[in-house]
Amino acid sequence: MDGFRGEFIIEDPDGYAYDYDEEVIMPVADWFYKLLPELSTDFLNRYNPTGAEPIPQNVLMNNTRNVTWNVKPDTTYLMRIINEGGFVAQYLYMDDHDFEVVAVDGIYVEKNVTSMIYITPGQRVDALIHTKNQTDTNYAFMQAMDTEMLDVIPDDLVLNGTNWIVYDQDADLPEQYYVDTFDDYLNDFYLKPLSHTPLYEDPDHIITVTVIMDNLNDGINYAFFDDKTFIAPVVPVLSTVLTSGDMANERKIYGTNTNVYILQPGEIVEIIVNNNDTGKHPFHLHGHTFQLIERGDTIPDEFLPQNYSPNDSYVPPEFPSIRDTFNMHGQSYMRLRFKADNPGVWFFHCHVDWHLLQGLAIVFVEDPFAIQEFQSDLSDSWYDNCATGNVSTEGNAAGNMDFYDLTGENVQVKNLPTGFTAKGYCALVFSCVAGVLGIAAIGIYGMADIPNIEQRVLLDLGGLESDSLLENSEGEDEETGSSDSPVKRQNTSNETSNDIEPKK
Ligand SMILES: [Cu+2]
């Protein structure tokens, strides 16, 4: 997020599936003026109990602002769009030009023409753009933040960026281009892979998890899958796989908060993610692409989360959309399937970096014995890195060679206590007593007689010299102990009453 990044393009050895004339790489990102260490310290903090994410200040295209993309007329460009940002998804749209989406996350799809692309952090979209057969007009190429992901919209936030498709470098650059709605973006659920890979039917292994954002006893707002937030183990999971021998397929050795699921070779895995949070989450899986079987609609905040119900009749697409980062709507759910055909240790996590910091991750240990077979000899750099970082490379999640002994593992802090603690009861009792005393005091004061009432009325009506009353009323006030009677207030506004000020 702080800018140490570049684009890594893997060419198809068989050549690109669609014809084009020229290729451009167009990364987009959000931009925070402060660096991550400072932002994350303020974010994961008891003084931010709601877990409000830091808000970026700006949007970038091609790592800058106001890009001029010089084009040739009547040319087909392959634009590789990558959201390299850490948090906010973006809408992309152009004046009088269309995107022809041909691939997402490295998966070719049947051509889809759209005027608007929605791209979350971690997603990649390949689109063909045909330039016009003219050379005298330039066009705006817009990017806009998905403001629904922001808790607040500060005044200084730049919500969109204007870039230009430049046919003539001497011609004017137009003003920004407006759209009426952001609802018309291409829905990636309906993208049909060019491979026509059929639906994986009848999953062998169903993993159901629920996303929850909640506070632990340190007051920090964490992200959970069910009741566990991800915390990195003392020993990297891959090291535990490689040093645990026959025990490598036992989930327990990977620790309590590593959120490990063991996958068997060749099985069809279905992940059902229920989102009990109101925010959107772009979920990303390493080592695989997955099929999006079902995605629930957006549920407005005022309604309860809608979890997946296996009893609802539903027919998945014949050729489901495939990619490695799917966006899940707030308070909704989605179902993903993949085949466990790639042994490895694979992270499944939200691609919003803030949510990953909060612990929104699962680790799949896929076919651990195959990993031992194929990868038993890691490179020197692996061991060097671990040594430099003082990270142990053997043992269970706690670094113990007795693999069932997890003493010393990294675990989440205690839950916030449910209900009242002793301190809470004390505070409640004292608050009640103070409240009762306060009401009683008002009652006693309100029922009390007002001394010298007739004289005071006369004074108000100008029928009495104030001195004669003041002598009296001071004496009265001392008796009742009250120094704040309404009558005296009236007197203090009287020029002749300065002599009682010190008493007030
Ligand atoms: Cu998230």
Side-chain angles (χ1 to χ4, degrees):
M1 287 168 81
D2 291 345
F4 186 50
R5 59 193 178 209
E7 297 74 45
F8 188 54
I9 306 294
I10 301 172
E11 301 283 355
D12 185 339
D14 299 327
Y16 204 84
Y18 291 96
D19 291 334
Y20 59 87
D21 300 312
E22 299 205 13
E23 177 181 344
V24 287
I25 298 167
M26 201 61 90
V28 295
D30 42 23
W31 185 20
F32 296 81
Y33 293 171
K34 288 183 185 170
L35 297 182
L36 187 68
E38 184 182 349
L39 291 171
S40 56
T41 305
D42 292 342
F43 170 51
L44 296 176
N45 196 299
R46 69 168 63 211
Y47 298 106
N48 183 30
T50 61
E53 299 90 349
I55 310 277
Q57 278 71 45
N58 220 316
V59 284
L60 298 178
M61 182 173 277
N62 205 18
N63 291 308
T64 187
R65 297 267 311 159
N66 306 124
V67 172
T68 50
W69 174 33
N70 297 316
V71 298
K72 297 175 193 162
D74 198 21
T75 302
T76 302
Y77 287 88
L78 170 65
M79 181 173 280
R80 299 182 187 266
I81 306 164
I82 305 164
N83 190 336
E84 301 176 345
F87 176 24
V88 189
Q90 292 190 26
Y91 299 96
L92 304 176
Y93 46 102
M94 305 177 286
D95 182 9
D96 209 20
H97 290 67
D98 283 326
F99 301 95
E100 213 172 9
V101 172
V102 289
V104 288
D105 302 350
I107 303 292
Y108 293 124
V109 296
E110 290 187 355
K111 275 188 188 177
N112 271 274
V113 178
T114 181
S115 59
M116 187 176 286
I117 287 172
Y118 181 79
I119 186 165
T120 72
Q123 288 186 327
R124 293 86 71 205
V125 175
D126 288 1
L128 300 177
I129 298 169
H130 304 280
T131 54
K132 293 176 179 299
N133 198 9
Q134 61 92 29
T135 55
D136 54 9
T137 311
N138 300 323
Y139 295 85
F141 182 172
M142 303 298 300
Q143 58 184 144
M145 281 190 196
D146 176 1
T147 54
E148 286 181 12
M149 296 177 77
L150 308 176
D151 279 36
V152 290
I153 301 178
D155 290 341
D156 63 343
L157 172 59
V158 180
L159 284 169
N160 60 33
T162 305
N163 312 280
W164 294 281
I165 308 168
V166 177
Y167 288 83
D168 179 356
Q169 295 182 43
D170 297 324
D172 289 340
L173 297 174
E175 294 289 303
Q176 66 171 305
Y177 168 64
Y178 291 94
V179 285
D180 294 332
T181 172
F182 287 128
D183 293 340
D184 296 334
Y185 64 87
L186 182 69
N187 183 344
D188 62 354
F189 182 81
Y190 299 106
L191 292 176
K192 192 188 278 186
L194 200 58
S195 62
H196 282 205
T197 306
L199 170 77
Y200 293 130
E201 295 194 61
D202 304 327
D204 304 297
H205 188 172
I206 298 177
I207 295 165
T208 304
V209 283
T210 301
V211 173
I212 296 163
M213 309 301 237
D214 204 357
N215 300 71
L216 291 178
N217 204 34
D218 55 6
I220 293 173
N221 190 269
Y222 291 92
F224 299 81
F225 276 121
D226 300 325
D227 54 352
K228 284 184 184 143
T229 185
F230 173 83
I231 295 176
V234 174
V235 169
V237 176
L238 184 55
S239 292
T240 300
V241 171
L242 295 174
T243 57
S244 56
D246 293 347
M247 297 169 76
N249 63 351
E250 297 200 32
R251 188 181 183 189
K252 185 174 187 282
I253 68 171
Y254 298 101
T256 308
N257 274 106
T258 320
N259 287 352
V260 160
Y261 290 84
I262 311 280
L263 305 183
Q264 302 307 320
E267 66 181 3
I268 302 298
V269 182
E270 176 169 315
I271 313 174
I272 300 168
V273 188
N274 292 312
N275 184 8
N276 283 8
D277 176 46
T278 54
K280 300 171 182 177
H281 299 281
F283 275 104
H284 171 61
L285 176 60
H286 293 198
H288 289 277
T289 52
F290 35 51
Q291 295 182 334
L292 180 54
I293 306 301
E294 185 176 1
R295 177 161 57 193
D297 289 333
T298 300
I299 311 297
D301 292 0
E302 61 266 32
F303 295 106
L304 290 174
Q306 184 194 344
N307 286 354
Y308 168 66
S309 165
N311 300 322
D312 293 348
S313 67
Y314 172 77
V315 181
E318 187 180 7
F319 306 112
S321 180
I322 299 176
R323 64 190 307 179
D324 62 32
T325 309
F326 277 113
N327 197 35
M328 179 168 61
H329 298 132
Q331 303 205 110
S332 191
Y333 64 91
M334 67 179 178
R335 292 162 70 202
L336 310 163
R337 281 184 196 163
F338 66 96
K339 187 174 186 184
D341 56 3
N342 187 21
V345 173
W346 306 123
F347 220 20
F348 175 72
H349 66 94
C350 177
H351 222 295
V352 170
D353 283 1
W354 303 125
H355 300 165
L356 183 53
L357 282 177
Q358 285 176 288
L360 200 48
I362 278 172
V363 177
F364 292 118
V365 173
E366 179 176 338
D367 194 0
F369 299 122
I371 303 173
Q372 290 176 347
E373 225 170 279
F374 295 125
Q375 218 173 338
S376 61
D377 194 23
L378 288 170
S379 68
D380 288 345
S381 67
W382 163 268
Y383 292 103
D384 290 347
N385 282 338
C386 287
T388 306
N390 226 355
V391 174
S392 172
T393 51
E394 59 177 14
N396 64 11
N400 301 324
M401 291 308 287
D402 173 359
F403 280 82
Y404 287 135
D405 175 15
L406 286 166
T407 311
E409 67 168 333
N410 296 331
V411 287
Q412 67 191 45
V413 300
K414 279 195 308 183
N415 286 334
L416 273 177
T418 52
F420 276 98
T421 60
K423 269 188 200 168
Y425 280 117
C426 272
L428 183 65
V429 167
F430 278 105
S431 301
C432 291
V433 169
V436 168
L437 286 176
I439 291 168
I442 292 168
I444 289 165
Y445 176 78
M447 305 287 274
D449 289 335
I450 300 173
N452 304 324
I453 183 74
E454 294 86 357
Q455 284 175 293
R456 286 166 195 254
V457 171
L458 278 172
L459 176 66
D460 277 353
L461 299 175
L464 194 67
E465 291 298 318
S466 60
D467 288 355
S468 64
L469 173 62
L470 284 169
E471 283 165 18
N472 246 330
S473 86
E474 274 185 50
E476 289 290 342
D477 276 350
E478 269 161 21
E479 269 172 34
T480 60
S482 163
S483 62
D484 196 24
S485 77
V487 172
K488 190 181 286 170
R489 278 193 185 176
Q490 205 168 30
N491 278 344
T492 61
S493 67
N494 186 320
E495 282 179 14
T496 63
S497 64
N498 285 346
D499 54 336
I500 64 164
E501 278 297 302
K503 196 172 174 226
K504 181 173 179 249

